[in-house]
Amino acid sequence: MKAIWRNLCQYSKNFWQHWISFIILFVGIDLANQLIFIPLFRLATTYILQAGGIPFISYQNIGILVTQHTMVVIGLLVELVLLLLVIYWQFACLLLGLRLILGNQISFKRLMKESWLVMQNIRPGSLPLMLLYFVLVLPFVDLVFRTPLLSKVQIPEFIFDFMTRSNVLLAGLLIFYVIITILGIRLILTLPLMIYQRYRTRDALVESWRLTQKLKWWQYVKRLIVLGIVTTVSLGLFYLLIYGLQTVMDLFPGKIAFGMAIFNLTLVQVISELLTIWTGTIALQVVISLIDDFSADKEQVRGSSWYGWTFFTLLAIFAGGLIVVNNYYYLKGSGLTRPVTISHRGVAEENGVQNTIPAMKKTHRLQPTYVEMDIHETKDHQFVVLHDENLKKLTGINKTPHELTLAQLTKLTARENGHRAKIASFDQYLNAAEKLHQKLLIEVKTTPADSKGMLKRFNRQYGNRIIQDHDLVHSLDYRVVTGLKQLNPKLKVLHIQPYNFSYPQSIADGYSMEYSTLNFEFIQQAHHQKDMVYSWTVNDADVMKQMMYNHVDGIITDNLGELNSTIDDYLGSQSYANRILNFILAVPSSGGLEP
């Protein structure tokens, strides 16, 4: 343990000797991502899809893309190659910047020159292996390689939720993560070998595997664990100190408390960023120490050059100005609006069986803006309120809705969460909602067994009624969105999207987006087009606050009671100390320069 602590202290000393250079390096890459690369790639994806007349990409249209839109596929593949090259270049800048800074040889010109030389060694055949490598190191990106572009790549939370509902799937998920973790740890040296020692990708993979054999990897994993603990404890104590200080300051007159709140919140952001850079720098040194020793002083440390100080000062003034202005409006509560509350599948805190009338009646007492529910077409071309494409989970009957008539379906009893209730037809559910004056968010489920006239029948039977009740419709199937908008332009129809990688573009009136990839940028673009954005399925209070911080229009949740109390806490009359606390809880996942 003493050896680990000595190593970390030495690496920390290296950081503080060159802290201005490290800040410029890390913040410079972060700004390049947030202001240049991420917007450019989103614009490129949007333009390519628009050129092909394609509003989105999902599993539903991937076959059509490959067979009928060859140029779009080629354009997206070219974009993927460029993305890989940019990510690789950023790794090169980080690693080369680290070595140049610690060797007192850093300059912008030299960093660009050396990174360009590294880029010239890339061969086309290496790109698939590079893609595989980046996937493998994703779990370690935030700790070891702080590259915001790569950290934007996320697996949506709903996939994890689905995988954990079955013991078999959960076991498979755990095995997958064990394998990925082992591979990620053993291959972590691949990029340093490629960048420092000009290895080819395949050779670097083999050499990284060799260098980390016989538990040699454990020496850097232990140091990373200790580093993570130190960072977490330090940040927690700092946040606690700021919260306590602001709690005291809130006892003073308004202007004094408000001024100190701006100062404290700005301090939270600055120290958090500094600690993140400190952690990233040490983590890089820990990993790279397996192939190069940065602990020894190679030259006497020189003072920072005047242009380094000038750049740092200008960068600090620019970033500080943005932060202070943003904090002023945030602490004032400007622009904050109450999101609409939406009960997912008509339940709240497991108070009944999903998509049933008794559960909806109980949930209505919590006053949701909308009750979200699902409908399927039946064998006799009617509509039943049901989410799953198979009845086995809720009723024990291994049948699909298309195999039974509506009369047969409504005789079945569904069981869930210790409750039981009859399956309802859409007419029954809609009638019950109208009596309660409860608005609905209706998800139209589709399968290959749907009849050709399903949408026309749905609109003919319910379209005008839905409009009169001020209900909304949404669907994962974009054909439903386009079909209903053509049949009845007055219907408000949203498009459900499980992943966000381009700017919003469609004829939909808004979007239901899985929360883990939803960001402020997407919401801002949708609002510019006067479209609404709802996030699903948000069951954690901190994520609820993050969504409100990003100005989402509505939140779909299984925990309606918690959502109501979280909204009251976030938007209600509260102290500046609590606003700072909410910021601390909400912002880490919202990323970068987003307000």
Side-chain angles (χ1 to χ4, degrees), residues 155 335 393 435 489 526:
I155 300 176
K393 180 180 178 181
K435 289 180 182 178

Side-chain angles (χ1 to χ4, degrees), residues 343-516:
S343 168
H344 186 226
R345 303 187 192 177
V347 296
E349 281 80 20
E350 299 184 348
N351 63 351
V353 182
Q354 59 175 284
N355 283 310
T356 61
I357 294 173
M360 187 255 287
K361 290 180 176 179
K362 292 179 185 177
T363 300
H364 173 72
R365 298 168 191 164
L366 296 173
Q367 300 180 329
T369 313
Y370 294 97
V371 163
E372 192 266 351
M373 38 80 69
D374 311 271
I375 61 170
H376 275 279
E377 188 183 36
T378 65
K379 182 178 181 180
D380 53 347
H381 306 315
Q382 300 300 310
F383 296 94
V384 66
V385 181
L386 191 70
H387 175 273
D388 298 343
E389 293 184 14
N390 192 290
L391 294 155
K392 186 174 180 60
K393 180 180 178 181
L394 291 177
T395 68
I397 298 174
N398 189 21
K399 295 282 186 180
T400 68
H402 290 93
E403 295 178 293
L404 301 174
T405 65
L406 184 63
Q408 292 172 321
L409 286 162
T410 53
K411 289 179 181 179
L412 299 177
T413 299
R415 296 172 176 82
E416 187 181 42
N417 302 325
H419 302 276
R420 53 188 292 168
K422 290 288 185 180
I423 289 179
S425 69
F426 184 44
D427 284 287
Q428 292 171 332
Y429 202 95
L430 188 57
N431 288 335
E434 288 176 338
K435 289 180 182 178
L436 295 170
H437 301 288
Q438 175 62 63
K439 292 189 289 187
L440 300 177
L441 174 57
I442 304 156
E443 179 174 351
V444 178
K445 294 284 188 179
T446 60
T447 71
D450 293 333
S451 65
K452 291 183 179 180
M454 183 189 76
L455 290 183
K456 291 182 179 179
R457 193 178 308 107
F458 174 81
N459 178 62
R460 184 172 60 251
Q461 292 179 223
Y462 306 107
N464 291 334
R465 193 172 171 185
I466 289 171
I467 294 171
Q468 292 173 1
D469 294 341
H470 302 287
D471 295 336
L472 303 175
V473 178
H474 68 166
S475 180
L476 186 64
D477 191 336
Y478 192 67
R479 294 170 298 179
V480 172
V481 177
T482 56
L484 288 179
K485 292 300 292 183
Q486 290 171 357
L487 291 168
N488 194 341
K490 292 183 179 180
L491 270 177
K492 294 291 185 181
V493 186
L494 285 69
H495 183 211
I496 301 174
Q497 293 190 352
Y499 200 87
N500 165 35
F501 66 95
S502 65
Y503 291 125
Q505 48 147 349
S506 73
I507 65 168
D509 297 294
Y511 303 90
S512 296
M513 178 74 70
E514 204 278 336
Y515 77 86
S516 60

Side-chain angles (χ1 to χ4, degrees), residues 96-235:
L96 291 171
L98 177 72
R99 184 168 67 178
L100 291 173
I101 289 171
L102 294 178
N104 295 300
Q105 299 170 333
I106 188 65
S107 72
F108 179 78
K109 182 178 180 180
R110 180 164 184 175
L111 179 60
M112 293 299 101
K113 180 180 178 180
E114 292 200 12
S115 62
W116 174 245
L117 291 174
V118 169
M119 294 294 293
Q120 289 179 322
N121 289 330
I122 297 177
R123 293 168 173 78
S126 300
L127 293 175
L129 286 175
M130 286 174 57
L131 177 61
L132 175 63
Y133 175 75
F134 289 139
V135 171
L136 292 176
V137 301
L138 270 177
F140 310 96
V141 165
D142 288 335
L143 182 58
V144 180
F145 298 116
R146 188 177 182 272
T147 54
L149 190 63
L150 187 57
S151 64
K152 291 289 183 182
V153 181
Q154 301 181 43
I155 300 176
E157 290 292 335
F158 76 92
I159 294 179
F160 292 106
D161 179 63
F162 173 77
M163 295 291 288
T164 56
R165 293 179 182 179
S166 162
N167 290 333
V168 175
L169 291 177
L170 179 59
L173 182 65
L174 292 175
I175 293 172
F176 171 78
Y177 265 100
V178 169
I179 294 173
I180 287 294
T181 301
I182 293 173
L183 291 175
I185 291 173
R186 296 293 304 274
L187 301 177
I188 197 71
L189 297 175
T190 301
L191 273 182
L193 288 167
M194 291 174 64
I195 292 167
Y196 286 155
Q197 301 180 17
R198 307 295 171 87
Y199 274 71
R200 294 184 179 182
T201 306
R202 188 183 303 275
D203 295 334
L205 290 168
V206 173
E207 181 65 8
S208 178
W209 190 267
R210 186 189 69 81
L211 290 172
T212 56
Q213 64 185 352
K214 297 181 180 179
L215 291 180
K216 291 181 181 178
W217 53 268
W218 182 238
Q219 60 180 298
Y220 77 79
V221 170
K222 286 189 297 184
R223 285 159 174 78
L224 293 177
I225 292 173
V226 173
L227 176 62
I229 293 173
V230 170
T231 301
T232 302
V233 172
S234 300
L235 204 55

Side-chain angles (χ1 to χ4, degrees), residues 27 31 35 311-324 593:
V27 174
L31 288 173
L35 300 179
F311 181 82
F312 175 74
T313 303
L314 292 175
L315 185 66
I317 292 173
F318 173 74
L322 289 178
I323 291 171
V324 170
L593 299 174

